[in-house]
Amino acid sequence: MTRRRTPRNSVIRLTTGHAARTLNHPFPCREPVLALDFGATSVLVTTNGPVTAEDLEFARQLAHAAHRFARSVERSFYGLPDGKGVAA
C-alpha cells in the first residue's frame, strides 16, 4: 500500500465481537460487494462501476492486510500465558 499523502480527517473504530461478521456477495451480473457487519453498523466495500485494474489492486491489498490482521489476532490469542488462548 502506498504512503498516505493527505492527513486523516476522521477515524471510525469498529470493534469485533460476537455480532461481527463478514460476507462476500459475488453477484454474477454486477460488481461484487464485501459487507463488514458490526451489529447495527455495516460497511459495504464495492467498486464504482465496472471493475478496473485499480479495483483489483485494492482488493489484493485488502486481502493482504486482512491476512496480516488475522495472523496478528492468532498470535495474540495463542500467545496468552496458558498457551491455549481463551475459550469463547
Side-chain angles (χ1 to χ4, degrees), residues 53-74:
E54 289 83 11
D55 297 326
L56 179 58
E57 177 59 25
F58 175 80
R60 290 177 174 161
Q61 290 175 5
L62 179 64
H64 186 67
H67 177 73
R68 289 191 327 258
F69 176 74
R71 295 300 305 260
S72 294
V73 171
E74 288 171 349

Side-chain angles (χ1 to χ4, degrees), residues 1-77:
M1 201 173 274
T2 61
R3 175 173 270 190
R4 177 180 291 280
R5 293 191 175 126
T6 57
R8 287 185 176 94
N9 291 330
S10 62
V11 174
I12 299 171
R13 180 178 177 178
L14 301 169
T15 57
T16 60
H18 109 267
R21 65 187 181 140
T22 60
L23 298 163
N24 179 45
H25 301 284
F27 297 107
C29 297
R30 57 175 249 197
E31 297 77 26
V33 175
L34 174 65
L36 309 174
D37 290 330
F38 301 90
T41 303
S42 291
V43 176
L44 301 179
V45 180
T46 188
T47 65
N48 189 21
V51 176
T52 65
E54 289 83 11
D55 297 326
L56 179 58
E57 177 59 25
F58 175 80
R60 290 177 174 161
Q61 290 175 5
L62 179 64
H64 186 67
H67 177 73
R68 289 191 327 258
F69 176 74
R71 295 300 305 260
S72 294
V73 171
E74 288 171 349
R75 279 193 295 276
S76 296
F77 183 77

